[in-house]
Amino acid sequence: MATAGGVAALVLLVAVGKLLAMPVLIPPLAASAALVLAAPALPLAQPRSVVGGQLVSALVGFAALAVGGSSLWTAAIAGGLAIGAMAAARTPHSPAAATSVIVVLGQPPALRFLALLALATVLLVLAGILAGRTGRTARYPAYWW
């Protein structure tokens, strides 16, 4: 069921990304989906970490972009800073470090990007909840906060 749920979740994320012309989010969210659907008991897969980690990392990316501009150097620094910011916020989610890199290199419109990211992560959590209710995978989430 995790495979079918993963495919369905990723197809939904691609549809949202295409609809809003922001498919660049698919790679880090595919990694998030792998955690939520294939390892739902891990702390990195819990809703607080998935949603919070992605949003914290995006904000770090926008801050780094504002300070350092769009470059590979700034992107690398943003990725590292995102890891630290997620740890400080108690929202560890390793795939989210890539989101900060995407922000720096892609320079998306902030409000639109953050809204899409919030929507996508909530949909991903809902997919995890549905998959966990089937009885074929571990119950998700293990905890909310």
Side-chain angles (χ1 to χ4, degrees), residues 5-19 26 29 116 119-120 122-127 130:
V7 170
L10 290 174
V11 167
L12 179 61
L13 293 175
V14 168
V16 170
K18 292 271 300 169
L19 180 68
I26 302 308
L29 291 175
L116 174 58
L119 172 64
V122 167
L123 289 174
L124 187 55
V125 166
L126 290 174
L130 290 175

Side-chain angles (χ1 to χ4, degrees), residues 4 9 12 15 21 27-28 35 39 42-43 53-54 64 79 81 85 87 89 92 98 102 125 129 138 140 145:
L12 179 61
L35 286 172
L42 288 179
Q54 288 285 358
L81 291 174
I102 286 171
V125 166
I129 292 169
Y140 179 82
W145 199 252

Side-chain angles (χ1 to χ4, degrees), residues 94-114:
S94 51
T99 300
S100 64
V101 172
I102 286 171
V103 166
V104 171
L105 296 178
Q107 305 174 59
L111 292 178
R112 187 165 168 230
F113 186 88
L114 290 169

Side-chain angles (χ1 to χ4, degrees), residues 19-129:
L19 180 68
L20 298 174
M22 200 72 69
V24 71
L25 274 174
I26 302 308
L29 291 175
S32 295
L35 286 172
V36 168
L37 296 163
L42 288 179
L44 297 176
Q46 301 314 305
R48 173 190 173 107
S49 290
V50 174
V51 177
Q54 288 285 358
L55 292 174
V56 164
S57 291
L59 292 172
V60 168
F62 282 113
L65 178 62
V67 172
S70 181
S71 75
L72 291 175
W73 297 107
T74 304
I77 291 168
L81 291 174
I83 293 167
M86 286 185 286
R90 297 184 322 111
T91 58
H93 188 67
S94 51
T99 300
S100 64
V101 172
I102 286 171
V103 166
V104 171
L105 296 178
Q107 305 174 59
L111 292 178
R112 187 165 168 230
F113 186 88
L114 290 169
L116 174 58
L117 183 61
L119 172 64
T121 55
V122 167
L123 289 174
L124 187 55
V125 166
L126 290 174
I129 292 169

